[in-house]
């Protein structure tokens, strides 16, 4: 979901009044050492660094004030998006499944202990493409903070231990090419490195 206000400015889009929710199955996850692969009919793929929140226990109808007790930890996450399928879905009012949930579309880092993130509302996200900085934004700039997102989404669906909630990308997201290298992280906390497959 686009939950960083600068991102909306960049797109010329109005700031949304509610979060936009979509699902990515766990079959989309890859870890370091595995390559990001273009799905069929995708000529342009987008990178997005996201603040990943790992759920610590099952919950439904979680209130904002209780939200922190449901957080088990954090995870540096990329939300890779097939722009071709995304544009096609938006044009036709169709779901984003092929745009967001193709295999390898969710590169994830290590589990980060909750205690390693002293203030989740002040984490510096960064992403470098081929060594050049492309995204750099603080979680303090999110339109919908993590506790609000948990309250919002669990009105509709339960969360379970190990679920990963990704919270929207900052400005600077753009296309990758085959052979590119993406490095991304939470400043002074953890970082990840992934290659886009050459073929
Ligand atoms: O791709 C989108 O339109 C929404 C999204 O995932 C984000 O903002 O992180
Ligand atoms: Mg995203």
């Amino acid at each position: 979901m686009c939950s960083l206000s600068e991102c909306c400015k960049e797109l010329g889009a109005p700031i949304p009044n509610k979060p936009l929710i979509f699902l990515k199955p766990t079959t989309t996850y890859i870890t370091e050492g595995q390559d990001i692969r273009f799905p069929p009919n995708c000529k342009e793929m987008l990178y997005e660094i996201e603040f990943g929140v790992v759920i610590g226990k099952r919950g439904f109808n979680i209130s904002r004030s209780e939200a922190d007790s449901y957080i088990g930890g954090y995870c540096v996450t990329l939300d890779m998006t097939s722009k071709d399928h995304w544009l096609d879905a938006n044009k036709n009012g169709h779901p984003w499944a092929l745009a967001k949930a193709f295999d390898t579309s969710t590169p994830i880092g290590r589990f980060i202990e909750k205690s390693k993130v002293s203030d989740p509302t002040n984490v510096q996200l960064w992403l470098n493409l081929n060594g050049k900085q492309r995204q750099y934004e603080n979680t303090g700039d999110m339109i919908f903070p993590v506790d609000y997102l948990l309250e919002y989404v669990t009105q509709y669906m339960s969360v379970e231990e190990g679920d990963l909630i990704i919270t929207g990308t900052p400005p600077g997201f753009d296309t990758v090419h085959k052979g590119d290298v993406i490095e991304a992280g939470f400043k002074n906390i953890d970082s990840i490195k992934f290659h886009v497959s050459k073929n």
Side-chain angles (χ1 to χ4, degrees):
M1 84 204 60
C2 186
S3 53
L4 291 158
S5 52
E6 284 303 316
C7 173
C8 291
K9 276 190 223 152
E10 183 170 285
L11 289 171
I15 295 192
N17 60 7
K18 57 180 187 304
L20 196 165
I21 307 296
F22 59 89
L23 298 172
K24 289 173 76 96
T26 54
T27 46
T28 65
Y29 291 172
I30 52 170
T31 52
E32 277 179 320
Q34 296 176 281
D35 287 353
I36 298 164
R37 291 186 173 275
F38 276 62
N41 304 311
C42 169
K43 292 194 183 64
E44 282 196 85
M45 194 196 293
L46 304 171
Y47 58 79
E48 301 180 357
I49 169 77
E50 306 225 4
F51 187 58
V53 178
V54 182
I55 298 299
K57 61 179 180 187
R58 190 183 173 90
F60 182 70
N61 256 335
I62 300 169
S63 69
R64 250 184 119 158
S65 59
E66 305 169 302
D68 186 61
S69 69
Y70 286 83
I71 296 175
Y74 302 93
C75 183
V76 180
T77 308
L78 301 178
D79 175 18
M80 303 305 295
T81 304
S82 165
K83 190 174 175 184
D84 309 75
H85 292 92
W86 186 81
L87 289 173
D88 191 55
N90 288 349
K91 193 171 73 200
N92 295 301
H94 290 164
W96 283 357
L98 296 183
K100 292 284 192 180
F102 58 90
D103 279 22
T104 79
S105 66
T106 317
I108 53 172
R110 286 152 288 273
F111 175 74
I112 301 169
E113 297 288 338
K114 197 174 177 182
S115 59
K116 297 240 164 68
V117 178
S118 52
D119 181 2
T121 65
N122 182 18
V123 175
Q124 195 66 42
L125 311 181
W126 62 271
L127 181 144
N128 292 353
L129 182 67
N130 301 325
K132 215 171 145 211
Q133 186 173 289
R134 295 298 193 92
Q135 292 188 287
Y136 191 79
E137 191 79 43
N138 196 281
T139 55
D141 289 327
M142 289 166 69
I143 299 168
F144 304 112
V146 169
D147 54 357
Y148 178 81
L149 289 173
L150 257 182
E151 178 178 87
Y152 181 83
V153 80
T154 63
Q155 294 172 83
Y156 300 93
M157 53 183 98
S158 299
V159 288
E160 292 188 304
E161 182 179 354
D163 280 353
L164 175 64
I165 300 196
I166 58 174
T167 55
T169 201
F173 58 88
D174 206 344
T175 51
V176 291
H177 298 97
K178 291 182 178 170
D180 281 354
V181 179
I182 303 173
E183 288 170 280
F186 303 163
K187 196 173 174 184
N188 300 327
I189 299 173
D190 200 13
S191 67
I192 56 177
K193 182 174 182 175
F194 283 91
H195 295 256
V196 182
S197 177
K198 291 199 172 86
N199 42 54

